[in-house]
Amino acid sequence: MPNFENELKKLPQNPGVYLMHDENDTILYVGKAKNLRSRVRSYFRGLNEQSGHFVTGRGPQIDKMVSLISRFEFIMTDSELEALVLENNLIKEYSPRYNTLLKDDKTYPYIKVTLGEEYPRVLFSREMKKDRSRYFGPYASAAAVRESIELINKLYQLRNCNRSLPREIGSGRACLNYHIKQCCAPCQEYVTKEDYASRIRAAVDFLNGSYQATLKDLMQKMTQASENTDFEEAIRYRDLYQSVEKVALRQKVTDTDGEDKDIIAIATAENESVVQVFFIRDGKLIGREHFYMTHTIETVSRQIILDFIKQFYAGTPFIPRELVLPEEIDDIEILEQWLSKKRGSRVYIKIPKIGDKEKMVELATKNAALILSQDKERIKREEGRTIGAVKEIAGWLNLSQIHRLEAFDISNISGFANVGSMVVYEKGKPKRSDYRKFKIKTVSGPDDYACMKEVLTRRLTHGTIEQAELKEKGLEKEFGSFTKFPDLILMDGGKGQVNIALQVLRELKIDIPVCGMVKDDNHRTRGLFYHNEEIPVEKNSEGFKLLTRIQEEAHRFAIEFHRSLRGKAQVKSVLDEIPGIGPARRKALMRHFKSIDEIKAASVETLSALPEIPKAAAEVIYGFFRPG
C-alpha cells in the first residue's frame, strides 16, 4: 500500500472532484466533495496493521476499493454545484467500477409542435431544443408517441411534409396524405391560414389532455354522416372516436394541481436495485419506466437515489418542477440548484409523509419491488437454461468447469462444396461473433472425416500461432476469438468424429477434452461419447436441451453456408457459358437481377440499361437463353 501522507497534505479545503486510480491507472471511483481535504482523508484512516489496508468503516466493498488505490488526483472547482456537474461528466466518461451506475442509457421521445412555422407540424423528436416549438413529454414509449401523432394527423389533418410553406405553396401536387384524409393540403391552399391555425390550437388542446371538445365534435360528425347515409364516413368518425376514448382512458388523473412532477421510488435486493419513475405531466400520469442500477453492493437506498438523480437528469432535456422521493437524501439544496439551473426555473425536491403524493410513492415502490421480483425469477430461469445446463454437462463428464464450448459440423451434397462450421457457446449462450465458416480446401469427395480433420487442424493451428505471437508481444490479455481455446470440443457424431479430433490434438500437442454427440435414428442427440464410452443423458434435463440446441445450431450454420456457396456456384456456372461475359459483366448481372430466371426473362433494352452491358453484349445474353 503506497504512503499517501504527503499527497493528503496537499489537498485544499475547497469544493471539487477526486478520482481514485489503481496500479494500471484505471479509474476506480469518482466522487465530489464540499471539502476535498476532509473527504479524501476519510478514506485513509484506520490502517489495519495485520492486512496493511485502510479500514474506512463504510463496509467491505469500499475497504476493498481503497486497498486497490495506487494514486488519487483531484480537480478543484469554484462551487459545490460545479463539482456535481463535473462529477457527473467524469462518471459518464469513465464508468468507474465502484460508482453506482445507471444501467439504462435511454433518450426519451417527445411530441414536438413546430409553432415557429407558419403552417406548424406535429412531429416525433428525441431531443428538446430551445426553439419556438412546443414540446410534450417525455414519454416512456416511442410507439405510444407515434400512435398519438398518427391519431392527431387523422383528427386534424395536419401536414407532416418537409415543404417550406408558404414559399412552396402551389409547387407540385397534393400528396397521398391529402387523398386519404390525413392532410388538409395547405401546400395547395385548400385550407386558409386561419383554419389551419385553429386545427393546430385544437391539436395542442388535445395534447394537453382536453378531449371532450374533440369527442363531442366527432360524435356530431358521425351522427350527421349516418343521417346522410354516408356510412363509410360514419365508420371513419366512429373509429376516430374510439381511438380518442382509448387515449383519454390511458391519461389517468393523479392530482389536481396540473404540475409536472416525477415520482421516484426504489427497491433493492442483495446486490440489485431498481428505480421506478412515474412521469406526471400537467397532473396526468403519462407513463412509467424502471431503471437498473449496478454496483450497488452495500450501498444504502438514499445514496442510490442520489446517484440516479444526478445521472438520469444530467442526460434528459426535460426537468419537471418537482421530484417526489421516498426518503431524505444528501445534497438536496445543491441538487435543487443544479436542476433549477437546467430547467430555467425553480425545481423542488419533496419527501411526502401523508396525502396523495405519499400514496403515489408507495405505488411506485410496489411496482419497483414487483419488477425486481419478476426479474430475479427470469434471471433464475435463464441461468438454469445456460449456466446450470453447462454445470450439468460438466458433471456428466467429470470436468471441474466448462466456460467455452465449441461445436463443429460438416455439410455437403455428394462431396459438392464441402464446408465446415464452428459455433461457440460461452456460459451456455451462443457467442455469434466467434462463429467461423470453413470452405474445405484439401478434400474433393464426400469424406466427412477428412473434412473434419482439415477444419480442426486449421482452427487449432491458427489459434496456436496467434497465441505464440501475442505472447511474444506481451499481449496475452488481448487474445481474440481464435486464440481462446475451448474447455470442451463437441463433435457432431460419435466415436469416429471424436477420434479424428483427438488425432489432431495429439499432432498439435494440445490438451482439450473432446466429446461426441451420439445421435439416434431421428438424428437427435441420445447420449455423449467420452473416453471411449457412451454416457446416457437425462432427456428432460437442461443439459440435454442445451446439447440439442448446440447440435442444431452447428448444423444450421453449416447448411446455410453450404447453400450460399451452392447457389453462387450454380449462378456462376450458367453465366460462365455465355460468350463475351467476363467477371465484371457477370458481377453486374448478379448484382442487378435477383435470379437467373430474371436474367432469362429480361429484354435486350432492360439488359443494355446496365452501364456495364453494351447493346451487343445484351443481344448475346438475350440470344443465349433463347437458342434458335
Side-chain angles (χ1 to χ4, degrees), residues 254-271:
T254 56
D255 54 34
T256 56
D257 62 11
E259 291 287 355
D260 294 338
K261 60 174 68 73
D262 288 352
I263 310 289
I264 299 172
I266 186 172
T268 59
E270 298 170 5
N271 63 340

Side-chain angles (χ1 to χ4, degrees), residues 53-322:
H53 295 152
F54 291 99
V55 179
T56 64
R58 301 184 201 174
Q61 186 77 355
I62 297 298
D63 290 343
K64 172 66 175 174
M65 185 267 288
V66 174
S67 74
L68 299 173
I69 296 172
S70 177
R71 71 178 184 91
F72 64 83
E73 61 177 314
F74 63 88
I75 303 168
M76 201 165 61
T77 59
D78 288 332
S79 67
E80 199 178 353
L81 179 60
E82 283 183 19
L84 185 143
V85 174
L86 180 57
E87 178 197 34
N88 267 339
N89 292 338
L90 292 173
I91 289 173
K92 189 170 184 180
E93 182 176 353
Y94 295 112
S95 299
R97 177 180 167 188
Y98 287 93
N99 280 94
T100 299
L101 301 175
L102 175 60
K103 192 174 179 181
D104 306 68
D105 186 16
K106 299 175 182 174
T107 305
Y108 286 90
Y110 295 81
I111 294 177
K112 175 180 179 178
V113 185
T114 60
L115 296 177
E117 298 177 334
E118 287 197 42
Y119 292 88
R121 297 169 291 165
V122 178
L123 304 174
F124 180 99
S125 177
R126 285 278 182 189
E127 54 185 349
M128 188 175 176
K129 297 179 180 178
K130 290 185 177 179
D131 53 17
R132 289 186 291 167
S133 299
R134 180 154 180 201
Y135 292 84
F136 295 85
Y139 297 92
S141 168
V145 169
R146 290 191 172 93
E147 276 181 28
S148 297
I149 292 171
E150 185 180 352
L151 176 58
I152 285 166
N153 286 332
K154 284 179 180 177
L155 285 170
Y156 307 110
Q157 298 181 20
L158 304 174
R159 75 184 187 100
N160 63 4
C161 63
N162 292 322
R163 290 187 183 184
S164 179
L165 301 184
R167 183 169 55 84
E168 292 184 35
I169 285 178
S171 63
R173 294 177 295 174
C175 67
L176 178 63
N177 283 343
Y178 167 72
H179 297 288
I180 60 173
K181 298 185 178 180
Q182 288 192 23
C183 179
C184 56
C187 61
Q188 304 299 315
E189 290 191 302
Y190 293 166
V191 60
T192 65
K193 191 173 180 180
E194 291 73 22
D195 184 15
Y196 192 88
S198 70
R199 291 169 187 257
I200 285 291
R201 285 194 296 272
V204 169
D205 288 342
F206 182 89
L207 287 167
N208 277 322
S210 301
Y211 308 115
Q212 292 309 313
T214 299
L215 286 169
K216 184 179 178 181
D217 182 54
L218 288 171
M219 180 60 76
Q220 289 175 347
K221 288 177 178 177
M222 180 174 66
T223 304
Q224 187 64 49
S226 182
E227 288 174 357
N228 295 339
T229 67
D230 189 350
F231 298 116
E232 188 176 332
E233 194 71 356
I235 289 170
R236 189 173 77 85
Y237 287 126
R238 181 203 65 190
D239 291 345
L240 287 171
Y241 186 93
Q242 290 174 349
S243 296
V244 174
E245 268 193 325
K246 185 179 173 184
V247 171
L249 284 171
R250 277 207 306 258
Q251 302 288 352
K252 176 187 172 186
V253 176
T254 56
D255 54 34
T256 56
D257 62 11
E259 291 287 355
D260 294 338
K261 60 174 68 73
D262 288 352
I263 310 289
I264 299 172
I266 186 172
T268 59
E270 298 170 5
N271 63 340
E272 297 176 326
S273 298
V274 168
V275 174
Q276 176 84 47
V277 183
F278 285 175
F279 300 109
I280 296 172
R281 301 294 177 262
D282 293 320
K284 298 176 180 63
L285 177 64
I286 66 163
R288 63 179 185 176
E289 190 60 272
H290 63 271
F291 305 86
Y292 292 94
M293 302 295 289
T294 62
H295 306 172
T296 61
I297 299 173
E298 300 166 11
T299 308
V300 293
S301 58
R302 66 175 183 273
Q303 182 62 44
I304 297 169
I305 293 170
L306 173 62
D307 291 333
F308 169 78
I309 290 171
K310 289 191 290 186
Q311 293 175 51
F312 178 70
Y313 292 103
T316 181
F318 182 84
I319 308 293
R321 188 169 181 270
E322 273 186 22

Side-chain angles (χ1 to χ4, degrees), residues 210-486:
S210 301
Y211 308 115
Q212 292 309 313
T214 299
L215 286 169
K216 184 179 178 181
D217 182 54
L218 288 171
M219 180 60 76
Q220 289 175 347
K221 288 177 178 177
M222 180 174 66
T223 304
Q224 187 64 49
S226 182
E227 288 174 357
N228 295 339
T229 67
D230 189 350
F231 298 116
E232 188 176 332
E233 194 71 356
I235 289 170
R236 189 173 77 85
Y237 287 126
R238 181 203 65 190
D239 291 345
L240 287 171
Y241 186 93
Q242 290 174 349
S243 296
V244 174
E245 268 193 325
K246 185 179 173 184
V247 171
L249 284 171
R250 277 207 306 258
Q251 302 288 352
K252 176 187 172 186
V253 176
T254 56
D255 54 34
T256 56
D257 62 11
E259 291 287 355
D260 294 338
K261 60 174 68 73
D262 288 352
I263 310 289
I264 299 172
I266 186 172
T268 59
E270 298 170 5
N271 63 340
E272 297 176 326
S273 298
V274 168
V275 174
Q276 176 84 47
V277 183
F278 285 175
F279 300 109
I280 296 172
R281 301 294 177 262
D282 293 320
K284 298 176 180 63
L285 177 64
I286 66 163
R288 63 179 185 176
E289 190 60 272
H290 63 271
F291 305 86
Y292 292 94
M293 302 295 289
T294 62
H295 306 172
T296 61
I297 299 173
E298 300 166 11
T299 308
V300 293
S301 58
R302 66 175 183 273
Q303 182 62 44
I304 297 169
I305 293 170
L306 173 62
D307 291 333
F308 169 78
I309 290 171
K310 289 191 290 186
Q311 293 175 51
F312 178 70
Y313 292 103
T316 181
F318 182 84
I319 308 293
R321 188 169 181 270
E322 273 186 22
L323 300 188
V324 182
L325 311 183
E327 60 182 300
E328 293 282 349
I329 62 171
D330 297 332
D331 301 329
I332 283 183
E333 288 184 15
I334 198 72
L335 280 176
E336 285 183 336
Q337 285 181 46
W338 173 60
L339 292 167
S340 299
K341 190 175 179 181
K342 281 179 69 69
R343 176 181 166 88
S345 60
R346 183 69 193 272
V347 174
Y348 300 87
I349 296 177
K350 297 186 177 178
I351 299 90
K353 302 300 181 186
I354 56 171
D356 290 341
K357 290 177 183 177
E358 192 274 335
K359 288 177 183 175
M360 287 297 293
V361 170
E362 187 181 337
L363 181 62
T365 303
K366 287 178 181 177
N367 274 267
L370 181 63
I371 288 162
L372 199 55
S373 171
Q374 289 173 340
D375 218 49
K376 284 182 76 174
E377 287 298 315
R378 180 187 61 77
I379 291 168
K380 191 176 177 182
R381 288 194 302 271
E382 181 64 20
E383 284 184 350
R385 290 181 71 250
T386 55
I387 296 171
V390 172
K391 285 180 180 176
E392 273 189 328
I393 296 168
W396 295 336
L397 304 178
N398 201 24
L399 297 172
S400 59
Q401 67 170 9
I402 301 172
H403 173 74
R404 182 182 174 98
L405 286 159
E406 290 183 5
F408 296 84
D409 193 17
I410 300 295
S411 178
N412 64 61
I413 296 178
S414 302
F416 172 79
N418 286 315
V419 298
S421 70
M422 177 184 103
V423 298
V424 179
Y425 278 64
E426 287 188 354
K427 294 183 179 179
K429 295 180 181 179
K431 191 177 183 186
R432 292 185 173 84
S433 60
D434 284 8
Y435 284 16
R436 290 294 181 272
K437 302 169 183 174
F438 299 86
K439 193 187 291 187
I440 304 300
K441 300 174 181 178
T442 61
V443 184
S444 57
D447 188 341
D448 283 2
Y449 288 171
C451 291
M452 185 59 77
K453 184 175 181 181
E454 181 189 322
V455 167
L456 288 168
T457 302
R458 285 166 58 187
R459 185 268 176 269
L460 296 168
T461 303
H462 191 95
T464 307
I465 291 169
E466 280 198 20
Q467 277 193 13
E469 288 176 352
L470 289 169
K471 206 164 192 175
E472 205 173 294
K473 296 174 184 176
L475 300 172
E476 296 97 327
K477 290 182 181 178
E478 299 178 26
F479 281 175
S481 60
F482 253 32
T483 56
K484 276 192 225 169
F485 282 156

Side-chain angles (χ1 to χ4, degrees), residues 591-621:
R591 189 169 54 242
H592 183 79
F593 296 98
K594 293 180 181 177
S595 66
I596 286 290
D597 288 337
E598 282 196 14
I599 299 173
K600 286 180 182 178
S603 65
V604 171
E605 289 74 18
T606 303
L607 291 165
S608 61
L610 273 66
E612 299 88 348
I613 311 292
K615 189 170 183 182
E619 288 172 349
V620 170
I621 297 167

Side-chain angles (χ1 to χ4, degrees), residues 18 20 29 39-45 54 56 58 66:
Y18 56 93
M20 304 298 197
Y29 185 79
R39 174 61 62 84
V40 177
R41 288 181 73 90
S42 70
Y43 287 95
F44 303 104
R45 290 180 185 144
F54 291 99
T56 64
R58 301 184 201 174
V66 174

